[in-house]
Amino acid sequence: MEPTVLVLAAGMGSRYGGVKQIDGVGRHGECLLDYAAFDAKKCGFGKIVYVIRKDIEHDFRERLFDRVARNMDAEYVFQTPDAFLTAAEQKKAAERTKPWGTIHAVLCAENKLKTPFCVINSDDYYGRDAFHTLGEYLSSIKNTSTDHAMVGYVLGNTMSKSGSVSRGVCTVKDGYLDSIVENTKISYKGSGIVSEVDGKEIPFTGKEWVSMNLFGFSPKAFEVFHEYWENFKKTSLALPKSEALLPVAASQIVKEGKGSVKFFSSTENWFGMTYPEDREIVKGEIAKKIDAGYYPEMLWEK
């Protein structure tokens, strides 16, 4: 049973200042997501599903989707603000403009996910080894399995010189995830790394394991996702910036004894499209990989 890749591509790109998920970074206009699809296909994933916003559909198809869909099984779904909300809940959340977060996005794609699947962000480069690791693992589990997985990265390899980043800091025990704590503002300070939490600075060594939202789940995980979403709504509908986050739900699976999350690691140096300044860095990194023969210059055959 070939696993599926689920791409979370409905973000607003507020720090980037544009629709970064379809910004060209390859030598022939390829997006960062082209390279993710290429790697996933090489590593045994049989299908890719994108979660997008309705307002970017035309550009998304023109600049990414139609090209990928010619080369592998691909679909997309919309993340809409009213999905999974009753009329009364929509009224309570009427002032909200920010998307509901990564768990909400995953729930929007549930009907398209018929096999174990991995989840990725649209603006992060994960590396082929990570897809290979999760592809092998997900191919070995059943749809009813409660044994999920993730690939963690070294914090120091995932920092941006352009500004702060949001990372889930992981604790790992005997090769399995023990907990994840979301740190939404991690940045360089002098020669060190700090996380700003409630006005206080917490120092990090840079060697911590962090989540980059690269998880692997069986469809069984949706039982917890729905439960987490319903509990989130009870406390957060009227909060304009609160988000239902995938790493928090993954941690909940572990805390509540409803499954395990096997922890795989990657020493790959991250790069991604968080800030406008990052685009030239990403273009340079992709060019290096093309020059080294890791990717062909023309990624997809026309």
Side-chain angles (χ1 to χ4, degrees):
M1 183 162 49
E2 291 181 324
T4 301
V5 180
L6 176 62
V7 184
L8 308 184
M12 301 293 283
S14 55
R15 288 182 291 185
Y16 187 78
V19 188
K20 57 186 175 181
Q21 48 268 57
I22 50 176
D23 213 348
V25 293
R27 288 178 175 163
H28 298 275
E30 298 93 344
C31 312
L32 201 53
L33 284 177
D34 278 294
Y35 294 95
F38 184 86
D39 286 341
K41 184 180 180 183
K42 268 188 167 294
C43 295
F45 287 86
K47 180 179 179 179
I48 190 163
V49 177
Y50 300 90
V51 182
I52 67 168
R53 304 192 315 269
K54 180 70 176 175
D55 63 289
I56 69 168
E57 181 182 15
H58 177 268
D59 289 342
F60 168 75
R61 290 198 66 116
E62 188 176 73
R63 295 167 62 181
L64 173 71
F65 180 80
D66 290 347
R67 178 170 61 242
V68 173
R70 287 194 294 269
N71 289 276
M72 69 183 296
D73 186 4
E75 291 187 85
Y76 62 90
V77 298
F78 298 117
Q79 181 180 11
T80 59
D82 59 350
F84 308 106
L85 294 174
T86 65
E89 289 168 341
Q90 290 177 45
K91 187 175 180 180
K92 191 172 182 180
E95 299 299 316
R96 186 180 179 99
T97 57
K98 191 178 179 69
W100 288 109
T102 45
I103 272 293
H104 186 259
V106 172
L107 290 175
C108 289
E110 181 176 8
N111 291 337
K112 301 293 185 182
L113 301 172
K114 307 300 183 184
T115 67
F117 61 97
C118 84
V119 183
I120 66 171
N121 293 334
S122 63
D123 55 353
D124 291 313
Y125 179 84
Y126 292 99
R128 193 175 298 158
D129 285 349
F131 283 105
H132 177 73
T133 296
L134 277 188
E136 268 196 346
Y137 182 80
L138 293 172
S139 296
S140 73
I141 66 172
K142 297 180 180 179
N143 280 356
T144 54
S145 176
T146 57
D147 299 321
H148 313 292
M150 69 173 290
V151 176
Y153 290 74
V154 180
L155 174 60
N157 291 345
T158 72
M159 296 294 294
S160 172
K161 294 179 181 178
S162 304
S164 66
V165 295
S166 178
R167 302 285 183 257
V169 180
C170 304
T171 55
V172 182
K173 186 176 181 181
D174 300 327
Y176 286 84
L177 178 69
D178 191 52
S179 68
I180 302 179
V181 177
E182 280 296 301
N183 285 252
T184 57
K185 200 172 182 181
I186 302 177
S187 61
Y188 287 113
K189 186 171 184 180
S191 59
I193 297 173
V194 298
S195 174
E196 186 179 318
V197 181
D198 296 329
K200 297 179 181 179
E201 291 183 346
I202 300 170
F204 283 141
T205 65
K207 297 179 180 180
E208 293 82 1
W209 290 113
V210 295
S211 160
M212 297 294 297
N213 258 12
L214 182 51
F215 289 96
F217 298 106
S218 78
K220 182 77 171 174
F222 277 104
E223 294 177 9
V224 175
F225 295 165
H226 279 288
E227 178 186 307
Y228 170 59
W229 170 248
E230 292 303 317
N231 288 331
F232 171 85
K233 289 193 295 182
K234 291 174 184 176
T235 60
S236 304
L237 283 181
L239 301 177
K241 294 185 178 181
S242 184
E243 293 184 74
L245 299 174
L246 184 60
V248 178
S251 189
Q252 184 174 315
I253 289 174
V254 175
K255 283 181 182 178
E256 295 184 356
K258 294 182 177 178
S260 63
V261 178
K262 187 169 179 58
F263 189 89
F264 295 103
S265 60
S266 173
T267 56
E268 183 90 29
N269 282 318
W270 167 90
F271 53 88
M273 310 271 280
T274 306
Y275 296 92
E277 299 86 352
D278 294 334
R279 184 169 183 263
E280 290 306 311
I281 296 171
V282 170
K283 287 178 70 175
E285 292 295 331
I286 292 294
K288 288 178 190 176
K289 290 182 179 294
I290 293 170
D291 291 341
Y294 191 83
Y295 293 116
E297 181 159 330
M298 179 69 76
L299 196 63
W300 304 111
E301 292 182 12
K302 289 190 175 180

